[in-house]
Amino acid sequence: MTHTLSAQKRIAIIGAGPGGMALALILQKHGIQSVVYERELQNSNRQRGGSLDIHEESGQRALREAGLYEKFKEIIRLEGEDFRVLDKTGKIYIDEDAEMDSSGGRPEIDRGDLCDLLMNALDPDCIRYGYKLERAVSLGDGRTELHFENGEVDTVDMLVGADGAFSKVRPLLSDARAEYSGLTMIELNVLNAAQSHPDLAALNKRGKLFALSDSKGILGQLNGDGRIKVYASFEAEQNWLDNCGIPFERPEEAKQRLLELFEDWDDSLKNYIRYADGAILPRRIYMLPVGFTWKHQPGVTLIGDAAHVMSPFAGEGVNLAMLDALELALALVEHDDINAAIQAYEPKMYQYTSEKAKESDDNLKLTFSDGAAQKLTDLMNRIYEEHGVH
Ligand SMILES: Cc1cc2nc3c(=O)[nH]c(=O)nc-3n(C[C@H](O)[C@H](O)[C@H](O)COP(=O)(O)OP(=O)(O)OC[C@H]3O[C@@H](n4cnc5c(N)ncnc54)[C@H](O)[C@@H]3O)c2cc1C
């Protein structure tokens, strides 16, 4: 049956990342149509990031509501929860093996696989690729006029910004901008690690390895296609990437320069950089202020990174994007008025996301502080004690 909202109202979602697609899909399941405008020419989520752990209370809940939980369970990697913490000498502080129980937990899935799962369940004509939002103009009555780079214009009754850290929808609600967090992460890839570099594959095991010392980190993460995604990470000035002179477009030279930054690290850890193949992607990590809110405006809201981009050190970004999608979709199903739905969604979202943003910020500071390997070990032991885990 078609929900009454769909007959009357035009809903546009900007951005076909995990948040935007989960929202469109849960609405679709409830008979509410929406259109997703995406700036890329096709689904490019596979090229954007590695393995994600999907949490029971957020990401998994959204997948259940989207009718995808059973399919999700078929492609998750339970062993991806293996976790190691070392320092720069190679000393091991934490060495955890995943529990191979498929109920609950935080199983891993590659970002590309998660996004394909969502996209394949959506009506094919729901997503419009090649629509980069340039400007959104409020018409003052809750409707918004959307201007796209390709010259198209659309007028909608409800606008949802799911367009990530540098949202073009957010300026309708606030002057706040995502600020540089002080952390720079250089993304590298060791392809076919088990075959090409068994020594590194054995060190990394089946999940994540964090090597932390001197406010720097080498973070390794085994992905579903056999690659180890590597983040060489450190605190740096905002313009460091522009001024460092490292030729990232020439990977072999760039690797030599990166190795100099980790000169006194154990060789087994430097191999994460030495063995890397192909392109290198430098990233600055951005965040909105912890506890960011805005004054409610009729007909417009935000989900996911557009609403609360945070550093990746609580592993929450994608989970919160999907939880926001779930909460907003259910609010639209429950209220036959768009503004009542937005007003039900926003305060709830502020509450759960501000806690996670604080946790993420605390973890970022801890991970890049002196003695981080020991501090992270102490933190995890405290968490396990609180939850009665031995
Ligand atoms: C290095 C790194 C590691 C991470 N690791 C983890 C992790 O382990 N666990 C975790 O949960 N999260 C992690 N995250 C965070 C996670 O990737 C994000 O929180 C998540 O992708 C947010 O989803 P989203 O749908 O809100 O936005 P996005 O994934 O950013 O999607 C936004 C979409 O909007 C489109 N778009 C942007 N602007 C426009 C425009 N003007 N017009 C039209 N379309 C537009 C984009 O092309 C994109 O498709 C990590 C992030 C980084 C950078």
Side-chain angles (χ1 to χ4, degrees):
M1 204 189 100
T2 306
H3 193 276
T4 49
L5 259 179
S6 67
Q8 305 157 23
K9 303 294 179 191
R10 188 161 169 73
I11 300 175
I13 300 165
I14 308 297
M21 286 198 285
L23 175 59
L25 185 56
I26 299 172
L27 289 176
Q28 177 183 301
K29 291 275 163 208
H30 288 274
I32 301 176
Q33 276 180 8
S34 62
V35 55
V36 182
Y37 287 117
E38 167 58 48
R39 69 178 169 193
E40 302 291 334
L41 296 176
Q42 61 203 17
N43 178 10
S44 59
N45 282 295
R46 198 161 283 283
Q47 288 88 54
R48 284 205 230 120
S51 187
L52 303 163
D53 49 323
I54 303 301
H55 304 174
E56 189 174 10
E57 66 285 2
S58 46
Q60 291 184 37
R61 260 186 72 207
L63 289 168
R64 275 180 207 273
E65 190 67 31
L68 291 176
Y69 185 68
E70 293 307 318
K71 280 192 182 155
F72 164 76
K73 270 184 29 183
E74 286 167 19
I75 53 174
I76 51 178
R77 285 177 293 109
L78 297 169
E79 69 281 6
E81 287 192 78
D82 281 4
F83 184 50
R84 292 188 127 177
V85 175
L86 288 76
D87 66 16
K88 69 178 179 183
T89 69
K91 177 180 166 193
I92 298 177
Y93 290 71
I94 297 179
D95 187 8
E96 277 178 10
D97 287 333
E99 282 175 29
M100 300 299 285
D101 165 10
S102 72
S103 59
R106 298 181 159 202
E108 295 280 330
I109 185 170
D110 285 7
R111 183 185 163 99
D113 292 337
L114 174 70
C115 289
D116 283 356
L117 198 64
L118 293 164
M119 194 187 68
N120 292 336
L122 273 170
D123 286 341
D125 53 0
C126 173
I127 305 183
R128 306 232 175 117
Y129 289 102
Y131 279 76
K132 180 177 182 187
L133 182 70
E134 268 191 343
R135 205 157 49 89
V137 181
S138 171
L139 298 181
D141 55 0
R143 291 181 310 145
T144 310
E145 201 173 69
L146 306 176
H147 295 258
F148 295 95
E149 199 183 58
N150 61 12
E152 298 283 332
V153 178
D154 192 6
T155 301
V156 297
D157 300 297
M158 179 174 186
L159 173 63
V160 182
D163 50 345
F166 305 103
S167 171
K168 290 272 198 243
V169 177
R170 195 188 303 124
L172 288 175
L173 300 167
S174 166
D175 295 333
R177 292 155 62 103
E179 301 286 349
Y180 175 58
S181 68
L183 186 73
T184 289
M185 298 175 86
I186 314 293
E187 185 178 321
L188 307 105
N189 292 279
V190 178
L191 302 179
N192 297 319
Q195 290 78 31
S196 310
H197 302 289
D199 54 331
L200 188 68
L203 175 71
N204 192 85
K205 293 176 68 183
R206 302 167 302 174
K208 291 181 184 148
L209 180 147
F210 282 18
L212 307 171
S213 281
D214 307 336
S215 305
K216 288 189 270 197
I218 294 179
L219 317 179
Q221 178 198 70
L222 184 64
N223 283 206
D225 63 359
R227 80 180 58 204
I228 297 179
K229 200 166 267 299
V230 182
Y231 297 101
S233 311
F234 39 86
E235 290 178 332
E237 297 288 317
Q238 180 156 12
N239 54 6
W240 184 86
L241 282 174
D242 305 320
N243 300 335
C244 66
I246 299 181
F248 289 107
E249 67 292 354
R250 297 198 295 279
E252 288 308 316
E253 270 179 64
K255 277 162 52 176
Q256 294 312 316
R257 297 285 306 276
L258 285 173
L259 284 167
E260 288 166 16
L261 295 177
F262 291 91
E263 200 181 6
D264 60 341
W265 287 48
D266 192 74
D267 270 324
S268 62
L269 298 168
K270 285 198 278 197
N271 286 342
Y272 276 102
I273 299 172
R274 280 195 195 110
Y275 293 165
D277 307 282
I280 298 180
L281 184 66
R283 295 175 183 272
R284 295 183 183 91
I285 300 299
Y286 286 84
M287 56 187 280
L288 277 161
V290 173
F292 170 62
T293 62
W294 57 86
K295 187 165 172 287
H296 166 75
Q297 302 289 333
V300 187
T301 196
L302 305 174
I303 65 169
D305 277 7
H308 42 66
V309 62
M310 58 188 75
S311 80
F313 290 92
E316 290 285 356
V318 84
N319 287 288
L320 293 177
M322 289 200 290
L323 181 59
D324 295 350
L326 171 69
E327 294 293 352
L328 181 58
L330 294 184
L332 283 162
V333 171
E334 278 162 27
H335 300 83
D336 54 2
D337 172 67
I338 284 175
N339 286 315
I342 295 177
Q343 279 172 307
Y345 156 73
E346 286 176 344
K348 203 169 177 181
M349 179 272 289
Y350 294 147
Q351 191 170 2
Y352 59 73
T353 57
S354 61
E355 282 168 23
K356 300 298 183 190
K358 166 94 175 55
E359 186 185 323
S360 174
D361 196 35
D362 290 347
N363 288 353
L364 169 72
K365 288 175 182 140
L366 183 148
T367 306
F368 294 93
S369 64
D370 282 343
Q374 184 60 51
K375 287 182 192 161
L376 186 57
T377 308
D378 295 342
L379 173 71
M380 293 197 56
N381 286 339
R382 274 202 305 280
I383 294 171
Y384 290 154
E385 256 171 47
E386 276 165 30
H387 290 84
V389 180
H390 300 286

